[in-house]
Amino acid sequence: MKGINAIENSNDPGKDGYSGVNSTFGKDLTAFSLSYFDNDYAAINGQTPMATVNSSSHPASNSSQLFNGNIRYMQTRLTNLTTGAAMPMLNAYKYDQLNRLSQARSYESGLSGSVWNPTTYGNEYFNAFTYDGMGNIETQVRHARNGTQIDNLTYHYHKNAGKLVRNRLYHLNDAQTNTAAFTDDLDNMLTFRPEAHRINVNNNYSYDEEG
């Protein structure tokens, strides 16, 4: 998969801003494209239907070409329903050595023509993850559109002397205590109780005999 789009069908060149030979084609209402590594795709007609990312830009420096099917970049283009303005976004991803998503960054500025070249980043929509040896998420941080941190989450599982007993998530703690900034965000939820006789009773999640 490289891309998909949904277009608005309009024969009015003034409506979509097209003229001349392109006047019968509508603009993209929503579209996205996926990039895996440099030169992973070449159009039959030699055209370049997707924007490229400058190799010295911030997203290029915070992503890698892995040649294994992991997505390096995702570009999206939505339409503001009120103004009709285009809303392009570039997402860049990093993975750990086991191909698990470790970091995700989003960029709404830095697009000029058909080239993305953002040189700075203010943690807009930034997400980061860490995992244990079984692939369970251990920590996650999330940021809002303006870069403000929303969550600093710790995931708790059943452990005995520091060793994982089972892969069941029992509790979440959020070290981000700025509750005034995000009144609709889930706040920190009491203290994790790791004791065997409490872990399935006094935490966020509990399980029946079948899991």
Side-chain angles (χ1 to χ4, degrees):
M1 172 69 74
K2 279 294 299 181
I4 189 170
N5 68 332
I7 65 172
E8 177 183 9
N9 187 14
S10 172
N11 291 321
D12 179 6
K15 181 177 180 180
D16 292 324
Y18 288 87
S19 61
V21 68
N22 295 318
S23 61
T24 58
F25 291 88
K27 64 182 179 180
D28 288 339
L29 289 179
T30 179
F32 75 85
S33 66
L34 305 176
S35 299
Y36 306 89
F37 53 88
D38 292 345
N39 303 315
D40 63 359
Y41 171 80
I44 295 175
N45 60 8
Q47 300 298 313
T48 305
M50 292 166 283
T52 59
V53 180
N54 189 299
S55 60
S56 61
S57 65
H58 194 277
S61 301
N62 287 275
S63 61
S64 300
Q65 303 185 74
L66 297 179
F67 307 96
N68 60 359
N70 285 342
I71 297 168
R72 183 181 189 183
Y73 304 125
M74 179 174 70
Q75 300 182 53
T76 59
R77 191 278 196 193
L78 301 178
T79 299
N80 187 304
L81 297 179
T82 302
T83 66
M87 301 169 60
M89 177 181 285
L90 173 68
N91 302 278
Y93 305 104
K94 293 185 73 173
Y95 304 85
D96 64 15
Q97 64 269 33
L98 294 180
N99 297 314
R100 301 173 299 198
L101 180 65
S102 61
Q103 296 180 359
R105 292 173 171 83
S106 298
Y107 304 83
E108 293 185 287
S109 61
L111 177 64
S112 179
S114 60
V115 179
W116 286 94
N117 189 28
T119 56
T120 59
Y121 183 64
N123 285 334
E124 297 90 347
Y125 293 124
F126 177 66
N127 271 263
F129 304 86
T130 63
Y131 305 84
D132 65 16
M134 292 295 293
N136 298 310
I137 297 174
E138 289 193 316
T139 64
Q140 180 188 7
V141 296
R142 296 195 310 134
H143 291 74
R145 184 181 188 181
N146 64 2
T148 303
Q149 185 170 312
I150 302 174
D151 290 314
N152 184 6
L153 301 173
T154 301
Y155 294 67
H156 297 282
Y157 306 87
H158 188 185
K159 295 182 179 181
N160 184 9
K163 295 184 178 180
L164 188 68
V165 175
R166 55 175 59 94
N167 298 310
R168 294 175 178 175
L169 176 65
Y170 284 98
H171 200 82
L172 281 172
N173 282 119
D174 187 0
Q176 174 54 263
T177 58
N178 186 12
T179 58
F182 302 97
T183 56
D184 57 349
D185 180 46
L186 187 67
D187 295 327
N188 188 53
M189 302 177 71
L190 304 178
T191 302
F192 173 54
R193 300 305 300 264
E195 304 93 334
H197 66 289
R198 292 185 180 275
I199 194 167
N200 201 45
V201 178
N202 298 106
N203 291 303
N204 299 155
Y205 305 101
S206 62
Y207 299 82
D208 62 18
E209 290 78 3
E210 295 184 351

